[in-house]
Amino acid sequence: MAAVRTARPAKHSNDAAVCQFVSAVGALTPVFATPATRQVPYNAGPMSAFRPTGDELTCDGVTLAAIAASVGTPTYVYSAATLRERITALRSGFGDYPHALHYALKANSNLAVVRVVRAAGGLVDANSGGEIEVALRAGYGPGDIVFTGVGKTPVEIDQAVALGVKTINAESAGELERIAAAARARGTVAQVALRVNPDIASESHPHISTGLGTHKFGVPITEARAIVRDASARPGLRFVGLHVHIGSQMLGLEPLRRAAGAVMGLARELRDDGVSVEHLDLGGGLGIAYEGETVPSATMYTAALVDVVRPSGLTLIVEPGRAVVGPAGALLASVVDVKPRGNGTRFVVLDAGMSELLRPALYGAYHRIEAVTGRAGVPVTCDVVGPICETADVFGVGRSLPEPTVGTVVAVLDAGAYGSAMSSNYNRHALPAEVMVDDGAWRLVRRRQTIDEQLVCEEE
Ligand code: LLP
């Protein structure tokens, strides 16, 4: 049962005024300036959900310490207001240009998150049969779903065909054949797009780049024309679009422009062949300011894509994940040990590690780490680590925090995307609890997993 709590005890009755003040100065003074003063990034300025109110870190005015005290840690906390704002900013960036925003469920498919996205007008991009099921349970219809994925199983293909999803983004000529066969067997016609690989560098981390010729994704763009010609004549298929996604956490728009230009060129060639497509799906990839980087705004991003695509008049589909949900979430964790290190620094061991948030260990990713209470304390230098038996289980080296002691709660910020979604039971950690803050109140939207639930699928 979802627990609902009211936001603030009476002693914080002036929170709104403090928030307004922080918001007003946010344009000049980064509220999370760490370790040096930086330009206010998109997700840490006035649009940030997680900000100090007096000596406490809050999410939309709700004190994070209160959530941690009630639910325990590790716990993910999400801001519904931020999710709404970010969907709205992206959608309105397209103006009158025909478009559809399909939120990439892989970033975070907690049902409560997905329902907020839906209510804000976002559609979905699913990457597996499981994600399609989540979309349906969140209230989406098949026509709201694009289905992507480099290795769709026969069962997943049949599920998508039977449902009649808006588009299946096919990864290969072989997959197009399998989709066509599944559609014919069911006496239906599947709407398909072809994912092309344009051999364009995303200039992002190599592990999250997908658009080079050496990567497993899509078909080489040079082969796409022949494949589409063939597929568009195949019974069981209706060819509706082209799809490209060259990478994630992109901080520049140029690679996205180039990818858009490449599929535009292909669309023109196809038109010359008598094959007309209806949409261009340019994937996701817009980055967020984990470390105070300058990132394109929603308006800059959408304008860049529309500029390239406008001459075609084709509907523009985007599949943002991180840019929607990343800054909307934080991971709360408690300090379980402090180990002094001779050199004046200390290991600060948390109850959350790579099993709850894999990004630092997997990509060397940076996430800001903030004290939830006692923020005015004298800062000390800490290596913030997890409890997992892996040397890579480190959240941050040389971080500055007010002297932590056992029981101190910290928030790992910008953890809404690819945080909970990539968590695991490694070391038999429970999947963490998740909380949604909405309209001044918070509620549990996933309770912490129990050890019985971990073992239920195993032999007795
Ligand atoms: N569309 C497709 C086909 C994708 O493969 C992805 C992400 C997206 C959309 C959404 O991309 P976004 O807007 O979130 O950048 N685990 C990594 C990120 C992997 C992204 C995989 N594909 C991380 O934590 O950084």
Side-chain angles (χ1 to χ4, degrees):
M1 237 332 165
V4 179
R5 303 281 187 280
T6 50
R8 292 181 289 260
K11 74 185 171 84
H12 287 133
S13 56
N14 62 343
D15 282 1
V18 175
C19 282
Q20 266 175 5
F21 170 74
V22 172
S23 173
V25 296
L28 299 172
T29 314
V31 281
F32 290 119
T34 58
T37 303
R38 299 189 172 99
Q39 186 186 340
V40 180
Y42 180 34
N43 53 314
M47 281 184 83
S48 173
F50 296 91
R51 60 177 108 205
T53 299
D55 202 30
E56 300 221 19
L57 194 62
T58 61
C59 174
D60 295 334
V62 175
T63 57
L64 295 174
I67 294 174
S70 177
V71 178
T73 55
T75 293
Y76 277 93
V77 179
Y78 306 116
S79 156
T82 302
L83 284 168
R84 284 185 204 108
E85 277 166 17
R86 298 181 79 84
I87 291 273
T88 305
L90 285 165
R91 288 186 69 213
S92 54
F94 289 104
D96 293 338
Y97 194 80
H99 70 277
L101 185 151
H102 285 258
Y103 165 68
L105 287 171
K106 61 172 76 70
N108 188 318
S109 60
N110 178 293
L111 272 174
V113 168
V114 182
R115 286 181 181 132
V116 173
V117 169
R118 179 165 172 266
L123 307 175
V124 284
D125 163 37
N127 200 65
S128 66
E131 287 186 356
I132 290 177
E133 190 58 41
V134 168
L136 297 174
R137 291 192 197 192
Y140 285 104
D144 302 325
I145 302 170
V146 297
F147 180 31
T148 314
V150 80
K152 302 179 193 74
T153 65
V155 170
E156 287 174 326
I157 288 175
D158 193 52
Q159 175 192 15
V161 167
L163 277 170
V165 298
K166 172 169 160 176
T167 311
I168 305 178
N169 288 326
E171 286 275 339
S172 67
E175 189 174 277
L176 281 165
E177 268 176 43
R178 290 188 288 278
I179 297 167
R184 286 196 304 271
R186 287 192 169 269
T188 184
V189 173
Q191 303 213 127
V192 291
L194 181 65
R195 178 167 183 178
V196 298
N197 183 321
D199 196 19
I200 291 171
S202 69
E203 293 163 16
S204 179
H205 190 284
H207 290 184
I208 53 175
S209 294
T210 51
L212 287 179
T214 48
H215 298 149
K216 66 182 177 181
F217 301 93
V219 301
I221 196 160
T222 46
E223 295 169 21
R225 190 173 179 179
I227 293 173
V228 173
R229 265 199 315 244
D230 181 57
S232 60
R234 208 175 265 280
L237 297 183
R238 176 155 177 269
F239 204 86
V240 292
L242 296 171
H243 179 232
V244 68
H245 170 82
I246 60 167
S248 196
Q249 182 53 16
M250 283 185 270
L251 298 175
L253 293 172
E254 205 37 45
L256 284 162
R257 279 197 196 93
R258 289 182 59 211
V263 286
M264 276 284 286
L266 177 59
R268 267 189 230 105
E269 290 175 356
L270 290 171
R271 197 190 47 207
D272 295 345
D273 294 343
V275 181
S276 62
V277 297
E278 294 164 20
H279 72 241
L280 300 178
D281 180 340
L282 301 181
L286 178 60
I288 62 170
Y290 286 106
E291 214 177 335
E293 307 90 328
T294 303
V295 294
S297 67
T299 321
M300 289 159 70
Y301 164 73
T302 48
L305 300 186
V306 170
D307 277 356
V308 180
V309 170
R310 190 181 292 281
S312 72
L314 293 174
T315 298
L316 178 47
I317 293 182
V318 287
E319 304 168 347
R322 187 190 318 266
V324 171
V325 70
L331 172 63
L332 302 183
S334 298
V335 174
V336 291
D337 197 10
V338 179
K339 306 208 300 186
R341 305 180 65 193
N343 63 356
T345 69
R346 66 228 5 92
F347 286 116
V348 174
V349 188
L350 303 180
D351 60 358
M354 62 194 287
S355 41
E356 286 75 21
L357 179 64
L358 185 58
R359 303 193 70 259
L362 192 57
Y363 315 115
Y366 183 96
H367 284 263
R368 293 172 288 152
I369 304 171
E370 299 267 333
V372 155
T373 53
R375 296 168 56 85
V378 179
V380 295
T381 304
C382 312
D383 285 359
V384 183
V385 302
I388 301 295
C389 299
E390 298 270 352
T391 307
D393 186 29
V394 175
F395 277 174
V397 173
R399 300 300 183 89
S400 179
L401 283 169
E403 180 107 46
T405 55
V406 170
T408 297
V409 177
V410 297
V412 184
L413 297 172
D414 302 313
Y418 308 108
S420 173
M422 292 172 73
S423 59
S424 76
N425 286 136
Y426 190 35
N427 283 204
R428 288 292 187 193
H429 273 214
L431 295 180
E434 296 179 285
V435 161
M436 181 68 74
V437 175
D438 196 0
D439 197 20
W442 64 269
R443 67 184 203 280
L444 193 61
V445 292
R446 184 174 78 180
R447 63 171 171 73
R448 194 176 312 287
Q449 190 184 36
T450 66
I451 189 66
D452 286 341
E453 286 162 343
Q454 280 190 53
L455 292 171
V456 75
C457 302
E458 301 183 22
E459 67 180 5
E460 302 240 322

